[in-house]
Amino acid sequence: MNDVLIQKYERDENWIRLLEHHETKLEFSTYSIGEEKRDSEVLRALGHLKLHRITDLYAAEMLKVGSKSIGVKLNTLKTKDMLFERFNKYLYNAIKSFIENDTTSSFDFVRRGMLPYSHIEPLLSLRTSILRAFDDLTRISQVEDHMIISELDNHLLKVCKLARKSGNHKDAYVAFETLRALHKEQIPILGIVSQLKTVWSQGDQSTAIRTLKWVLENRVNGESDGVRGKLLMLLGRWIGESRIESPNSVIETYFEKAVELTKLEPEKIGSGYIHLARFADALFQDMENNDLNKTLNDLMLLKSHEVQHLKTIQSQSSTTPEMKSGLENQIKKLQMQIDIDKSEYSRFNSDKSKFLLQSVENYLKALAYSDKSNMCIFRLCTLWFANQTNEEINFLIDNYSSKIPSYKFLTLVYQLSARMSAIIQNKSEPKFQITLARLIFKMALDHPHHTLPQILALQNGDVGTMPVNEKVSARRQQQTKKSIHTLAATRMIQQLKQSSAEINETISQMEKLFNAYIEFAMWKPEFKDGRGPAKPGSYLFDNKKFTLANIGELDKVPITTVEIPVRQDLNYKFAHFCGFGKNYQLIGGINLPKIVECLDSTGVNHKQLVKGSDDLRQDAVLLKIFSLVNELLKSSSETRKRKLNIRTYRVVPLSPRAGVLEWVENTTTLGNYLTEAHVRYNKNDFSPAECRRRMNIEHGTETSTIDSKLRTFQKICQNFKPVFRNFFFEKFLDPKEWFEKRQNYVKSIASSSMTGFVVGLGDRHAQNILVDMMSAEIVNIDFGICFDSGRLLSTPEIVPFRLTRDIVDGMGITGVEGVFRKSCEEMLKLLRSESAILLAVLDVFRYDPLYVWYFLQI
C-alpha cells in the first residue's frame, strides 16, 4: 500500500489533492501506520497562511508515508541495504527541501501582527513534530544529524520568542522543555536566555537576574564575544529597570563592557549603542524632571541667610562670650551642611551632564554603525536643540555627522533648516550654527532634491510676504525684509553653488522654476474690463504675462509634487520636468488657487494646485507628521495588523505666502457627493438649501433661544436622513470589494480623526474632506486651522473631530462600535507612546513661525 502511495507522490505534484485523499495521522515517534485520516486543523492552517511552498509539503508528505513504511519493514526484514538506500533518498530530499524553506515568513506573520499567534500555532507544532521525526530517523540512516539539530534548535528558539511576546507563556515553557530534552544538561545558552526572558515577563525579576548572573559566570566559556556582550547588555537592562545597583555601576559594569565585546560584530554593535543611549537618556530625563536642583538651591540659600543672621547676632555688643561661643559652633555646623549641599549639588549636575553626553554620543554611534535604530534621530536632535550652547555636544555632532549617512537626517530637514540663522553684527558665530550649516550642506550635496526646496523656501522669505491690500507700515516692511533665516539660507545657497558645477546648475534650474511658481501664485486674476475676479473655469496661458508658461525642459529638476524615494547610494534617477500645459484652471475660493498640468520626461502629466497668499508651511509640517505617523503605524503590531493608515499628498512651500500642492486624483469632496446624494435618494426630505435656510431663519430671529434652535435642528434631522452608505453600493458592486472598501473607509476615518484631534486640526467641513472613489479612503485637505486655533473663532469649534450622521452612516450597521472604536483606541495608544517624536517635529514652529504668528509678534 505504502509503496503505491510513494510512487503516486513521485509522479503527482498536486499536493492538495493528495492531502485530501491520503492524509495520515502523524505518529512519527513509533513509525506505526495509522488509519488514513484527514487532519483538518493542519489543512486549515496550511491553506489559510500559505506558509510553505508546494515542494516543502510534497517532500514532507513523502517522508511521512515513506518513513512509516520503511520503519515497519526495518523491524521485520533482514536485508536492509536496499531500503536504506531508498529511504535515504526520500529523507535527504525531504530534509534539504524542508530546511532550505526558511519559515521566517511564518514567524513574521505573528511578529508583525498580521495574524494572531493562535492561527499559526498548529503549523509551528507540525514543523516541530516533523523536525523531531527527522532527528529520530537520522539515527537509522546515513544522514548527518548536526543539520537537523541546528534547525530544530533555531525553530524552538523562535517558537519560544513568539509565544513569549504573544503572552502564551505555557507554549514558551513547552518549547524550552523540548529543547532541554534534546540536549540533556547541555542546553544552548540562547535557550536558557529565552527561558529567562519568559520568567522576567511573568514578573519574577529577581530569579531572572540571579540566573542570568550565574550563566555569565559559569556558562559563557567558549561562547563568542557577541553572545557575551548580548548577555551583559540584557543583564544591565534588567538591573537598571530593577534599580538594584547604582546607575554609574550599571553603565560601567554592564553596558560599556557589552559595547566593547560587540565592537567586532557589526550586526550587534548597533544594539549595544542604542541600549546604552536609551539607559543614559532615561537617567538624564529623570534628573531633568527632578526638582532636586531647586531644592538644594533653596536649602543652601536658606542656610546662608541663617548663617548671616547668626553672624549679625554674634557681632552685637550685647552678646555674651558664652552666647558667642555657642553661635560660633552653630555657624560651623550650618557651614558644614552648606558644604555638603554644595558637594551634592555639584555631583548631581556632574552626573546629569555625564548622562546627557553619554546618551548623545551613543545615539550618534548607533546611527553611524547600524540601520536598525534610525528612529532615534528624533530624540538625538531633540537633545541637541535643547542644548545648543553645550560645546561638547556640538563637538560630538560635528565629529559624527561625517560618519552618519546624511539620509538619516532627511526626515528632520524642516526642523534643521528652520534653525539656520546668520550673525548680522560682527560677532563670532556659535558652534551650533557652524555644526548645523555643515550638516545641512552635506545633506544638500548628497540629496539635493530633498533638501534644496526647504532652503530655497527660506531664501524666499521676503518674497510675496505682503498680502494684497494689507496696510503694513514701512517700519514693519523693513523689519520683515531680510530675516536672519533668509540671510542664512542665501549664504548656504551661495556656498552650494560654488561647491560644484552640477549642484550650481541644479540650484539655478530650481530657482527659475520656483520664482515662476511664486509669480503665478501671487497673481490675482481679474476680468479684462476690471469687473472683479475672474470666474472659475479653464483659461489659456499668456506667454507674455507669465514666466511659468515659457519655462521649458529642466533636466536637473524632478516634478515638484512627486516624492522621490531616498537612495542611500546617492544615485538618483528620476523623470525630470519638461514644461507646462497650454491652459490653467481657476477653481474658486478667496485666494483663487490655480490648477496647472506639467509634463515629465516619461510623458506623464501631473496636476498641481498653485496657491498664493497662503502659508503652506503649516500644511507641509502637518503632512510630514502624518507621514511619520504612518511609519509608526507600521512599527506597531496592533496597528499594522489592522492596516491603519493616513492618506497624504505632497505640499511644497515656496515662500511664506506661496506654494504648490499635489492634486489628489480620483477623489470627490464629501460635500459634493452628499449634496447630490441627499436629493437623489431622499426625494421627500428637505433639500440641503432648505435645511440651511431654516437654520438661518432661526438664528436671525430675535426671540430665538437655545431650546428653539435645538428643536429646529432636530426637525431638520428628522427630515434630512443620512445617505452616505449608498456611496459604497454605487461604487463597489462586488460584495467582497464592498466589504473591503468600507473597512478602508472606517479605518481611515479613525486614523485621521485621532491624529487630527492630537494636533488640534479644525475646519473639517464637508468640502475639506475628500473621498477616494477607488479605495474609499478619506483624505483631509486644507490644514489652515490647527493647534486648537478653531476654539478662538467667532463661533468656536469645540468638537474634537467630524463624526456626523453621514460619516457614521458609511460605517455600516455597527456604526462607531467594533472596528472604528478599536482602531481609535489603538491609534491613541500609539500616539501617546510616541509623543516625543511628534513634539520634535512640531518644534519647527518655535524657530520658523508661521506668517500669521510672525506678524502677531511684530
Side-chain angles (χ1 to χ4, degrees):
M1 172 64 179
N2 285 285
D3 288 337
V4 175
L5 287 177
I6 290 174
Q7 294 172 9
K8 193 166 186 177
Y9 275 107
E10 288 176 338
R11 66 173 181 267
D12 199 329
E13 295 181 358
N14 192 339
W15 61 271
I16 296 178
R17 188 164 70 251
L18 288 173
L19 281 174
E20 291 175 348
H21 287 86
H22 304 293
E23 202 41 48
T24 307
K25 187 176 181 180
L26 297 176
E27 292 180 355
F28 287 99
S29 57
T30 60
Y31 310 118
S32 62
I33 303 177
E35 296 180 359
E36 294 185 1
K37 177 182 178 181
R38 183 185 180 88
D39 190 342
S40 59
E41 283 296 319
V42 174
L43 281 176
R44 279 203 299 270
L46 296 176
H48 180 62
L49 299 175
K50 300 179 182 178
L51 297 175
H52 291 283
R53 294 194 295 264
I54 291 177
T55 54
D56 300 338
L57 293 174
Y58 180 64
E61 289 299 314
M62 283 183 1
L63 172 64
K64 187 163 61 175
V65 177
S67 63
K68 291 174 184 177
S69 172
I70 294 170
V72 173
K73 292 178 181 179
L74 283 174
N75 295 322
T76 58
L77 298 177
K78 295 180 180 180
T79 306
K80 302 178 181 179
D81 293 342
M82 182 182 69
L83 289 174
F84 264 126
E85 182 180 352
R86 188 176 183 188
F87 173 68
N88 284 343
K89 173 186 175 183
Y90 295 122
L91 180 59
Y92 179 78
N93 290 337
I95 291 173
K96 182 179 179 183
S97 176
F98 203 78
I99 291 179
E100 283 181 354
N101 179 29
D102 182 21
T103 54
T104 301
S105 58
S106 309
F107 296 96
D108 281 348
F109 276 128
V110 179
R111 181 180 60 79
R112 291 160 50 197
M114 296 173 67
L115 287 170
Y117 174 80
S118 58
H119 283 199
I120 203 175
E121 188 275 333
L123 190 63
L124 297 179
S125 298
L126 172 64
R127 187 171 180 83
T128 303
S129 299
I130 293 176
L131 285 170
R132 293 193 67 182
F134 283 156
D135 180 43
D136 289 337
L137 288 170
T138 52
R139 299 177 187 178
I140 58 171
S141 71
Q142 299 173 355
V143 179
E144 296 181 5
D145 67 346
H146 66 85
M147 180 170 61
I148 300 297
I149 292 295
S150 175
E151 180 65 19
L152 185 53
D153 287 350
N154 292 334
H155 172 73
L156 290 172
L157 287 173
K158 288 179 180 179
V159 172
C160 284
K161 182 178 180 179
L162 276 184
R164 181 183 72 251
K165 291 196 171 185
S166 58
N168 293 274
H169 296 118
K170 179 182 176 181
D171 287 355
Y173 276 111
V174 170
F176 175 73
E177 290 301 325
T178 304
L179 198 62
R180 185 204 293 271
L182 288 171
H183 293 275
K184 307 299 182 186
E185 299 300 324
Q186 297 299 319
I187 307 173
I189 195 167
L190 293 180
I192 298 175
V193 172
S194 181
Q195 177 66 2
L196 292 179
K197 288 180 178 180
T198 303
V199 172
W200 175 272
S201 65
Q202 289 185 295
D204 193 355
Q205 300 178 349
S206 59
T207 300
I209 292 173
R210 185 172 62 252
T211 308
L212 187 53
K213 282 184 176 180
W214 178 87
V215 169
L216 280 164
E217 292 171 1
N218 300 280
R219 287 293 308 275
V220 294
N221 292 333
E223 298 290 344
S224 67
D225 288 346
V227 172
R228 287 188 290 157
K230 184 178 180 179
L231 297 185
L232 273 173
M233 190 67 65
L234 180 61
L235 182 58
R237 287 166 52 200
W238 285 355
I239 291 176
E241 289 182 30
S242 303
R243 298 179 182 272
I244 59 179
E245 293 184 25
S246 68
N248 286 315
S249 173
V250 172
I251 290 176
E252 294 170 5
T253 308
Y254 304 105
F255 283 109
E256 289 183 349
K257 287 184 179 179
V259 168
E260 284 296 320
L261 288 170
T262 56
K263 273 187 175 180
L264 299 178
E265 299 191 28
E267 69 278 2
K268 294 181 180 178
I269 190 171
S271 174
Y273 286 134
I274 194 63
H275 285 307
L276 176 51
R278 286 172 179 166
F279 183 73
D281 191 9
L283 295 172
F284 169 74
Q285 289 183 68
D286 286 343
M287 300 181 80
E288 183 80 357
N289 298 328
N290 194 340
D291 60 353
L292 182 60
N293 250 352
K294 185 177 183 303
T295 302
L296 288 172
N297 264 325
D298 292 343
L299 282 173
M300 288 189 290
L301 185 62
L302 181 63
K303 290 173 183 177
S304 298
H305 288 163
E306 192 173 347
V307 167
Q308 194 64 35
H309 180 65
L310 292 176
K311 286 182 177 180
T312 303
I313 297 175
Q314 189 182 36
S315 63
Q316 293 176 357
S317 57
S318 59
T319 306
T320 64
E322 292 80 5
M323 289 178 62
K324 288 183 177 181
S325 177
L327 289 170
E328 185 64 30
N329 290 333
Q330 196 170 352
I331 290 172
K332 286 181 179 179
K333 288 181 180 179
L334 284 172
Q335 195 61 52
M336 289 177 62
Q337 292 176 4
I338 291 173
D339 292 340
I340 292 173
D341 289 343
K342 285 183 178 179
S343 175
E344 179 64 19
Y345 180 82
S346 176
R347 184 201 63 77
F348 181 86
N349 285 294
S350 175
D351 284 348
K352 180 179 172 182
S353 178
K354 175 185 174 182
F355 295 143
L356 172 62
L357 291 174
Q358 282 182 323
S359 62
V360 169
E361 183 174 9
N362 284 282
Y363 277 137
L364 288 166
K365 288 180 178 179
L367 289 166
Y369 301 118
S370 174
D371 291 330
K372 295 182 179 180
S373 306
N374 289 347
M375 292 299 284
C376 73
I377 190 70
F378 293 97
R379 182 58 188 164
L380 170 66
C381 288
T382 298
L383 292 172
W384 182 27
F385 297 155
N387 299 275
Q388 295 182 14
T389 58
N390 190 314
E391 293 297 318
E392 291 178 277
I393 290 180
N394 286 314
F395 175 78
L396 286 172
I397 299 287
D398 197 17
N399 184 37
Y400 278 96
S401 60
S402 59
K403 303 174 184 177
I404 300 173
S406 57
Y407 76 87
K408 296 187 179 185
F409 289 94
L410 288 179
T411 308
L412 286 165
V413 64
Y414 278 104
Q415 286 65 35
L416 293 167
S417 59
R419 285 167 173 80
M420 292 171 57
S421 64
I423 303 302
I424 300 175
Q425 299 175 353
N426 296 322
K427 296 180 180 178
S428 59
E429 194 161 16
K431 177 66 175 175
F432 172 79
Q433 285 298 327
I434 296 173
T435 304
L436 179 65
R438 287 176 181 168
L439 177 58
I440 295 176
F441 187 84
K442 180 187 176 186
M443 292 167 60
L445 289 180
D446 292 346
H447 311 279
H449 306 101
H450 299 83
T451 309
L452 287 177
Q454 282 71 47
I455 304 177
L456 289 172
L458 281 175
Q459 181 182 246
N460 293 331
D462 58 332
V463 179
T465 54
M466 295 299 104
V468 177
N469 298 327
E470 181 175 2
K471 296 181 180 179
V472 181
S473 66
R475 173 174 168 271
R476 288 190 178 181
Q477 292 183 19
Q478 184 63 30
Q479 284 177 321
T480 61
K481 188 175 181 180
K482 288 286 184 182
S483 69
I484 56 176
H485 303 298
T486 301
L487 292 171
T490 302
R491 184 175 63 182
M492 175 67 70
I493 291 296
Q494 291 172 350
Q495 292 172 351
L496 286 167
K497 284 183 175 180
Q498 295 170 5
S499 64
S500 71
E502 184 175 358
I503 194 71
N504 178 38
E505 180 62 22
T506 300
I507 293 173
S508 298
Q509 290 187 11
M510 278 192 175
E511 285 181 322
K512 180 180 179 181
L513 180 61
F514 281 21
N515 291 335
Y517 269 130
I518 294 172
E519 175 195 59
F520 187 59
M522 300 307 295
W523 169 67
K524 297 294 183 182
E526 294 183 351
F527 285 118
K528 293 182 179 180
D529 57 3
R531 289 186 288 109
K535 294 182 179 180
S538 180
Y539 295 87
L540 189 66
F541 262 124
D542 187 346
N543 293 341
K544 297 180 180 179
K545 190 173 185 179
F546 302 117
T547 307
L548 200 71
N550 297 312
I551 292 182
E553 183 176 6
L554 302 175
D555 62 337
K556 301 291 184 183
V557 179
I559 301 299
T560 311
T561 52
V562 173
E563 188 73 39
I564 302 176
V566 175
R567 292 189 61 94
Q568 298 182 25
D569 60 3
L570 312 183
N571 184 23
Y572 283 101
K573 296 178 181 179
F574 50 82
H576 61 262
F577 177 87
C578 286
F580 289 98
K582 296 181 179 180
N583 298 314
Y584 66 91
Q585 295 179 36
L586 299 179
I587 58 173
I590 297 175
N591 296 318
L592 292 175
K594 304 100 180 170
I595 297 176
V596 297
E597 286 191 3
C598 55
L599 182 70
D600 68 22
S601 54
T602 63
V604 177
N605 275 315
H606 301 267
K607 266 190 176 182
Q608 298 174 336
L609 185 66
V610 183
K611 296 185 74 174
S613 302
D614 199 358
D615 194 344
L616 296 181
R617 288 175 294 173
Q618 182 166 283
D619 294 59
V621 172
L622 286 178
L623 283 166
K624 180 67 72 174
I625 288 180
F626 292 163
S627 298
L628 178 60
V629 169
N630 283 335
E631 293 300 315
L632 297 176
L633 290 171
K634 295 175 185 177
S635 66
S636 169
S637 61
E638 290 298 320
T639 55
R640 185 171 53 239
K641 75 182 180 183
R642 289 177 172 81
K643 299 181 181 179
L644 298 182
N645 182 62
I646 304 174
R647 279 286 299 273
T648 61
Y649 53 94
R650 188 152 165 78
V651 174
V652 182
L654 305 173
S655 79
R657 299 293 287 171
V660 59
L661 303 87
E662 176 187 1
W663 185 261
V664 186
E665 298 285 358
N666 300 315
T667 59
T668 183
T669 66
L670 187 64
N672 287 349
Y673 175 80
L674 291 177
T675 300
E676 183 269 336
H678 273 285
V679 176
R680 183 153 48 94
Y681 287 105
N682 296 333
K683 297 180 179 180
N684 296 325
D685 280 0
F686 293 165
S687 67
E690 176 65 15
C691 295
R692 182 179 294 275
R693 187 186 69 81
R694 287 173 178 262
M695 283 305 302
N696 288 338
I697 291 174
E698 179 61 37
H699 279 292
T701 304
E702 294 182 0
T703 59
S704 177
T705 63
I706 293 178
D707 290 337
S708 65
K709 290 176 181 176
L710 178 60
R711 286 194 297 271
T712 302
F713 175 73
Q714 290 174 336
K715 184 175 181 181
I716 290 174
C717 289
Q718 292 172 1
N719 292 275
F720 194 71
K721 294 178 283 294
V723 295
F724 194 60
R725 63 185 178 277
N726 295 292
F727 173 83
F728 300 93
F729 292 126
E730 290 178 17
K731 305 296 181 183
F732 314 110
L733 303 180
D734 180 73
K736 180 175 180 288
E737 186 183 20
W738 169 85
F739 180 78
E740 290 176 351
K741 302 309 181 185
R742 200 182 66 184
Q743 292 289 298
N744 289 349
Y745 165 77
V746 174
K747 292 172 183 178
S748 68
I749 286 285
S751 303
S752 58
S753 296
M754 293 304 101
T755 309
F757 165 68
V758 169
V759 300
L761 183 62
D763 197 26
R764 294 301 88 200
H765 58 76
Q767 297 298 334
N768 275 349
I769 300 176
L770 305 180
V771 184
D772 192 313
M773 292 182 289
M774 306 298 291
S775 68
E777 292 176 306
I778 292 297
V779 186
N780 281 281
I781 61 172
D782 193 353
F783 306 118
I785 295 180
C786 64
F787 310 123
D788 283 334
S789 59
R791 294 177 179 271
L792 305 177
L793 298 174
S794 56
T795 303
E797 292 185 346
I798 59 175
V799 294
F801 49 87
R802 187 179 184 91
L803 195 64
T804 56
R805 295 179 308 147
D806 268 306
I807 294 288
V808 176
D809 188 60
M811 297 180 183
I813 192 170
T814 58
V816 297
E817 302 301 331
V819 175
F820 179 76
R821 180 181 292 276
K822 190 61 180 177
S823 298
C824 289
E825 290 173 358
E826 295 301 332
M827 279 294 300
L828 280 177
K829 286 179 185 177
L830 177 74
L831 294 172
R832 186 182 293 115
S833 64
E834 302 293 350
S835 58
I837 295 178
L838 301 179
L839 290 173
V841 177
L842 287 173
D843 202 39
V844 64
F845 293 125
R846 290 175 56 195
Y847 300 90
D848 186 21
L850 297 175
Y851 173 80
V852 176
W853 299 356
Y854 183 79
F855 274 96
L856 286 175
Q857 292 175 357
I858 293 179

